[in-house]
Amino acid sequence: MSTEDAGFKLARRRVWVAGHNGMVGSALVRRLAREDCEIVTVDRAAVDLRRTAEVEAWMGETRPDVVVMAAARVGGILANDSYPADFIYDNLMIAANVIDAAHRFDVAKLLFLGSSCIYPKHAPQPMAESALLTGPLEPTNQWYAVAKIAGIKLCQAYRRQHGRDFIAAMPTNLYGPGDNFDLAACHVVPALIAKTHAARESGATTLEVWGTGKPRREFLYVDDAADALVHLLKVYSGDDHVNIGCGEDIAIAELAGLICEVVGYDGALRFDAGKPDGTPRKLLDVSRLAGLGWTARTPLREGLALAYDWFLAHAGEGARRAIGATG
Ligand code: GDP
């Protein structure tokens, strides 16, 4: 019997992907389409996940068997720093409303998604799940991080008090199709793809990169992340959250160089030390995930090329909205 046979079955289940318009949610919908399950989604205009009554009404009408929480207010370093109230309030409310309603309406399995920014700013690298709450957070995104830590604790509390099979996964920085390319709010990969493309198109001789270029980050292609999440749904049930990453990191300066190659831009990089670096390094310890039988497939360069293809095909669509995506 394989590990998957031993675990939770998705076949013939009704699966609600909350946040299906976002990068992770849309990758989950693509991945779940290969399972023998029914996928249900709802738009933000119809159900505002920050409003308890709206979430309960939707859950009561829809009665999903499985919930994957890919809905969140997300953003890069600048957006987090500029809108702390939105980041903490929206994410706390979404987590509390959906998790409590999942309990009330007897959901068989719930998967909550956070991100690697839940770990202390100076956590030993690579960051194991056990590093949670062992030190102060990175100040720029502490608001988002506290809400995501609350989500993990909600899952644990409902497991303990009510015997619910609610689990949590913490993906590293994700990128790929469906990313947010709005420069004021987005993360470094889409920002550098959009900026490098614009520099090449305009014939600019330099490309501005925020910070010193020295921080190191781990990047995982979003379809790999969706595959890992579906795997966890099937094989994992436990109190502890599970890191999702590829186990390798890269300096921002090096990432910028790779993106220049993918886009075909040969200007010079100019580092703007006036912009924040954020956490010096973020690399997840993915040994628990590996022990559960999953490893990443898509090499960074290949994933960046796929992300750039998506950007070229959708560049005219403008900025994507910030709610409804986890990343
Ligand atoms: P973080 O992982 O929470 O720090 O969020 P980001 O993905 O926004 O930033 C990661 C790193 O990339 C930080 O050190 C940024 O200063 C750096 N970076 C370099 N250029 C850019 C850019 O154009 N946009 C963003 N968002 N970050 C950039």
Side-chain angles (χ1 to χ4, degrees), residues 214-276:
K214 293 193 178 106
R216 300 183 68 84
R217 295 286 183 274
E218 175 188 22
F219 299 101
L220 181 67
Y221 188 60
V222 70
D223 287 273
D224 282 16
D227 190 61
L229 295 170
V230 169
H231 183 73
L232 276 191
L233 276 176
K234 291 177 178 174
V235 307
Y236 184 69
S237 178
D239 272 0
D240 293 328
H241 63 282
V242 180
N243 286 341
I244 305 229
C246 63
E248 283 173 34
D249 65 355
I250 178 172
I252 296 300
E254 227 183 307
L255 171 76
L258 258 186
I259 290 176
C260 288
E261 282 173 37
V262 164
V263 171
Y265 173 72
D266 56 10
L269 303 180
R270 196 169 56 77
F271 294 96
D272 177 1
K275 292 281 197 310

Side-chain angles (χ1 to χ4, degrees), residues 26 132 180 197 211-212 214 265 313 317:
S26 48
L132 188 68
N180 172 13
H197 177 76
T212 58
K214 293 193 178 106
Y265 173 72
E317 285 176 13

Side-chain angles (χ1 to χ4, degrees), residues 75-80 115-117 138 140-141 173 182-193 195 208-217 219 252-253 255-256 271-272 275-280 282:
I77 195 163
L78 200 62
N80 270 271
S115 92
S116 56
C117 72
E138 154 62 32
T140 50
N141 55 25
N173 300 301
D182 168 11
L183 285 182
C186 71
H187 283 277
V188 59
V189 169
L192 289 179
I193 288 178
K195 280 158 68 169
E208 191 200 83
V209 179
W210 292 358
T212 58
K214 293 193 178 106
R216 300 183 68 84
R217 295 286 183 274
F219 299 101
I252 296 300
L255 171 76
F271 294 96
D272 177 1
K275 292 281 197 310
D277 265 348
T279 308
K282 263 200 281 187

Side-chain angles (χ1 to χ4, degrees), residues 16-301:
W16 174 28
V17 178
H20 68 290
N21 284 319
M23 175 173 61
V24 181
S26 48
L28 273 162
V29 169
R30 283 195 292 279
R31 175 62 188 80
L32 285 165
R34 298 188 349 236
E35 300 290 322
D36 176 25
C37 64
E38 179 194 356
I39 302 166
V40 290
T41 59
V42 64
D43 283 324
R44 184 163 52 136
V47 178
D48 184 335
L49 299 178
R50 297 168 301 183
R51 309 279 172 256
T52 311
E54 291 185 33
V55 174
E56 287 188 351
W58 155 256
M59 200 78 105
E61 276 160 31
T62 319
R63 302 303 298 254
D65 304 302
V66 179
V67 175
V68 187
M69 293 185 61
R73 175 173 291 279
V74 298
I77 195 163
L78 200 62
N80 270 271
D81 217 16
S82 312
Y83 306 107
D86 292 355
F87 275 87
I88 192 164
Y89 178 83
D90 290 359
N91 289 309
L92 276 174
M93 294 305 286
I94 292 169
N97 286 336
V98 176
I99 291 169
D100 186 65
H103 162 58
R104 286 173 194 280
F105 291 99
D106 220 12
V107 163
K109 185 124 199 171
L110 176 143
L111 172 56
F112 175 78
L113 300 190
S115 92
S116 56
C117 72
I118 59 162
Y119 292 114
K121 175 169 181 152
H122 296 295
Q125 304 288 323
M127 299 182 287
E129 286 85 354
S130 57
L132 188 68
L133 294 172
T134 55
L137 298 165
E138 154 62 32
T140 50
N141 55 25
Q142 60 179 311
W143 324 99
Y144 176 82
V146 164
K148 289 296 179 183
I149 293 169
I152 297 177
K153 292 293 166 192
L154 279 160
C155 290
Q156 289 173 354
Y158 280 76
R159 291 182 76 83
R160 187 166 300 186
Q161 187 177 333
H162 299 295
R164 291 295 174 194
D165 191 0
F166 294 175
I167 59 171
M170 297 298 125
T172 191
N173 300 301
L174 304 177
Y175 71 95
D179 214 338
N180 172 13
F181 286 87
D182 168 11
L183 285 182
C186 71
H187 283 277
V188 59
V189 169
L192 289 179
I193 288 178
K195 280 158 68 169
T196 309
H197 177 76
R200 195 196 66 192
E201 294 296 286
S202 68
T205 52
T206 58
L207 172 71
E208 191 200 83
V209 179
W210 292 358
T212 58
K214 293 193 178 106
R216 300 183 68 84
R217 295 286 183 274
E218 175 188 22
F219 299 101
L220 181 67
Y221 188 60
V222 70
D223 287 273
D224 282 16
D227 190 61
L229 295 170
V230 169
H231 183 73
L232 276 191
L233 276 176
K234 291 177 178 174
V235 307
Y236 184 69
S237 178
D239 272 0
D240 293 328
H241 63 282
V242 180
N243 286 341
I244 305 229
C246 63
E248 283 173 34
D249 65 355
I250 178 172
I252 296 300
E254 227 183 307
L255 171 76
L258 258 186
I259 290 176
C260 288
E261 282 173 37
V262 164
V263 171
Y265 173 72
D266 56 10
L269 303 180
R270 196 169 56 77
F271 294 96
D272 177 1
K275 292 281 197 310
D277 265 348
T279 308
R281 190 174 183 207
K282 263 200 281 187
L283 174 64
L284 292 179
D285 178 337
V286 290
S287 43
R288 179 173 287 162
L289 182 62
L292 291 164
W294 191 91
T295 44
R297 287 190 199 102
T298 312
L300 183 57
R301 201 197 158 86

